[in-house]
Amino acid sequence: MGVTLSESAAKHVANFIAKRGKGLGIRLGVKTSGCSGMAYKLEFVDEALTEDVVFDSHGVKVIVDPKSLVYLEGTELDFVREGLNEGFKFNNPNVKDACGCGESFNV
């Protein structure tokens, strides 16, 4: 199954990497945080670690550490524009509940 990017998210990430001038891809992970237990973390990656799992999605590498993969398996990262707002949206089939503010989740 893996972790994927929508075409829109892949274009957005590729543009950021190009503007940045370097980068292997994007790291998607989870951390303990928020009122529901876990929050997503997203960062650029210049070099993958040996234990990382690397997925290729629309030409962009998505890097996930093995501990986070348990919570992220099957997730699609999308980039959406809704009115004046734009940002990443996590479509994670493992989420059982999310907090009211949308910042954290649990599985």
Side-chain angles (χ1 to χ4, degrees):
M1 232 177 170
V3 178
T4 60
L5 301 175
S6 68
E7 191 172 341
S8 175
K11 286 179 184 176
H12 195 74
V13 170
N15 286 339
F16 265 105
I17 290 172
K19 286 180 188 175
R20 194 170 171 253
K22 65 177 181 174
L24 175 65
I26 193 164
R27 178 180 299 280
L28 180 57
V30 295
K31 63 181 177 179
T32 303
S33 179
C35 49
S36 288
M38 288 184 269
Y40 296 106
K41 61 181 182 177
L42 198 56
E43 60 190 7
F44 290 107
V45 176
D46 294 328
E47 197 173 304
L49 304 173
T50 55
E51 67 270 11
D52 284 337
V53 181
V54 181
F55 302 98
D56 190 281
S57 187
H58 299 284
V60 175
K61 293 196 183 324
V62 180
I63 295 125
V64 182
D65 67 272
K67 290 181 182 176
S68 294
L69 186 57
V70 174
Y71 304 105
L72 297 173
E73 184 70 41
T75 297
E76 179 194 52
L77 181 61
D78 193 9
F79 187 78
V80 296
R81 290 191 171 117
E82 296 173 348
L84 298 175
N85 299 316
E86 64 181 21
F88 288 107
K89 179 179 179 184
F90 297 86
N91 298 314
N92 185 342
N94 305 301
V95 171
K96 302 284 188 253
D97 193 26
C99 66
C101 66
E103 294 295 320
S104 63
F105 66 96
N106 65 46
V107 293

